[in-house]
Amino acid sequence: MNDSAPGRIVLLTTSHRVAPGLLSWPAWQVLRAADRVLCADPAHPQLPYLREAGVEVEEGAATARELVDYCVSDARTAVVLTSAVGESALTDGLARLAGSGRETMPALELLPGSYDLPGARLIDLVQVMDRIRRACPWSGIRTHEDLAKYGLEETYELLEAIETGDRESLREELGDVLLQVVFHARIAEDDADEPFSVDDVAGVIVDKLIHRHPHVFGEESAETPEDVKAHWLRTKAVEKERESVTEGVPLGQPALALAAKLASRARAEGLDVTPPAGDGVGYELLALAVRAEADGVEPETALRAAARAYRDAIRAAEGGAGGV
């Protein structure tokens, strides 16, 4: 800002993602000290709060010429509360006057009155999804069951982006996966018996993360990743009160992932369980898959059945260990 300039024009910007009235201290200072405050948007969310605070706001737009003459004539300050779409006509006009070299110009200042916090664009996503749910004929009638297949597809596309190292695709696919979460949460709001919102979803996972990280949010200590994992598994076991390490392993996941998950659970518990016969790795798996396809058998289904047999073997071993 040029302190020697005759007067001052301040363009005050605010974020719709921050609760109205929560303005920065410099914003409140300039609003209270201004000779004139203008706003072209009569529905601007800040107006009720400014008036409640005793700030007089003129509803209407002023031209660049008008504001410059007003401020220069008596070294006055004018504040323009900008709308969500901006004030392009005003800013273009001010730029023309300032660039002409023939005008005495007041100081021109862009003052952010509120700032977006990290994650603020998630508010936009929730609002957009809400509007789509209410206004789109297709989205308005979708159910959780309708979207299930899309959740799987988007997850596979995310995994592919990770494996290929494509950063642009990674960013896009993370957004697509996030959309599935927000879409499901919005559908859940319409449930007649047990509605919940995206805030409820976020609240559950926030509470879970805090509870399962006592070394971050509590008084426990963890020096290594192994310590963290031990904390997590111990806390999770208490929460779930599971009788078998196989409980909570979703059988609907791809069979290779299912088998690996079961093996991981058994190893974590120190269970020495011999996998059922019939499994293979590498080219053996490829050969079996090719043969299955030729015989009209779905190899994923066949492997999932073998993994269920492995789960049963783990439970049997747990029963034997409990009797020692």
Side-chain angles (χ1 to χ4, degrees):
M1 182 180 71
N2 183 1
D3 293 332
S4 64
R8 181 185 181 197
I9 296 177
V10 180
L11 300 180
L12 180 63
T13 63
T14 60
S15 172
H16 68 279
R17 304 179 191 96
V18 177
L22 295 180
L23 300 176
S24 65
W25 179 239
W28 280 115
Q29 284 182 309
V30 74
L31 284 166
R32 291 185 179 281
D35 298 289
R36 190 178 180 188
V37 179
L38 304 94
C39 181
D41 180 8
H44 198 292
Q46 295 288 353
L47 291 183
Y49 298 91
L50 297 185
R51 288 170 177 149
E52 184 178 348
V55 176
E56 184 177 342
V57 183
E58 300 177 28
E59 291 184 11
T63 65
R65 176 82 274 167
E66 178 187 356
L67 281 184
V68 168
D69 291 345
Y70 173 81
C71 293
V72 168
S73 64
D74 198 18
R76 289 178 288 201
T77 296
V79 176
V80 177
L81 184 60
T82 63
S83 63
V85 296
E87 310 296 330
S88 57
L90 175 61
T91 54
D92 289 347
L94 290 172
R96 283 193 297 270
L97 291 175
S100 69
R102 300 187 299 272
E103 298 285 342
T104 300
M105 295 294 294
L108 303 178
E109 181 180 350
L110 179 65
L111 177 62
S114 56
Y115 302 85
D116 289 341
L117 296 173
R121 292 307 302 272
L122 293 175
I123 297 174
D124 290 346
L125 176 58
V126 172
Q127 292 175 341
V128 168
M129 188 67 254
D130 180 66
R131 182 172 179 180
I132 290 174
R133 177 68 172 175
R134 288 184 283 108
C136 174
W138 186 88
S139 300
I141 61 174
R142 290 308 102 194
T143 66
H144 295 299
E145 291 74 18
D146 293 335
L147 296 185
K149 62 179 181 180
Y150 300 111
L152 284 174
E153 291 173 3
E154 300 299 353
T155 300
Y156 284 130
E157 290 176 8
L158 172 60
L159 290 175
E160 183 177 357
I162 293 172
E163 291 171 354
T164 59
D166 188 331
R167 300 290 293 177
E168 183 175 350
S169 293
L170 177 60
R171 182 173 64 245
E172 179 180 353
E173 299 305 337
L174 283 170
D176 289 342
V177 171
L178 179 59
L179 171 60
Q180 296 301 309
V181 175
V182 174
F183 201 164
H184 276 286
R186 180 58 185 84
I187 292 172
E189 286 189 53
D190 296 330
D191 189 272
D193 300 319
E194 298 180 83
F196 60 81
S197 69
V198 68
D199 287 319
D200 297 316
V201 173
V204 168
I205 190 59
V206 166
D207 292 343
K208 182 184 293 185
L209 286 172
I210 292 174
H211 185 59
R212 293 188 183 176
H213 288 79
H215 55 290
V216 176
F217 301 99
E219 297 181 355
E220 292 195 35
S221 62
E223 302 297 331
T224 67
E226 290 72 21
D227 292 340
V228 174
K229 186 174 182 180
H231 278 317
W232 182 279
L233 293 175
R234 195 162 53 245
T235 305
K236 191 173 182 180
V238 172
E239 289 175 355
K240 302 297 183 180
E241 297 182 348
R242 289 170 175 161
E243 297 180 357
S244 168
V245 296
T246 66
E247 292 180 21
V249 176
L251 298 181
Q253 63 184 300
L256 288 174
L258 173 60
K261 187 66 174 179
L262 290 170
S264 174
R265 289 284 185 92
R267 180 169 54 83
E269 289 297 310
L271 298 173
D272 184 12
V273 182
T274 302
D279 62 307
V281 294
Y283 285 103
E284 292 181 52
L285 283 174
L286 176 61
L288 287 172
V290 171
R291 192 183 77 189
E293 194 278 331
D295 294 340
V297 176
E298 171 56 52
E300 184 69 23
T301 302
L303 182 55
R304 186 170 290 114
R308 284 195 290 268
Y310 186 27
R311 177 198 61 184
D312 295 339
I314 293 173
R315 286 184 167 176
E318 288 176 324
V324 176

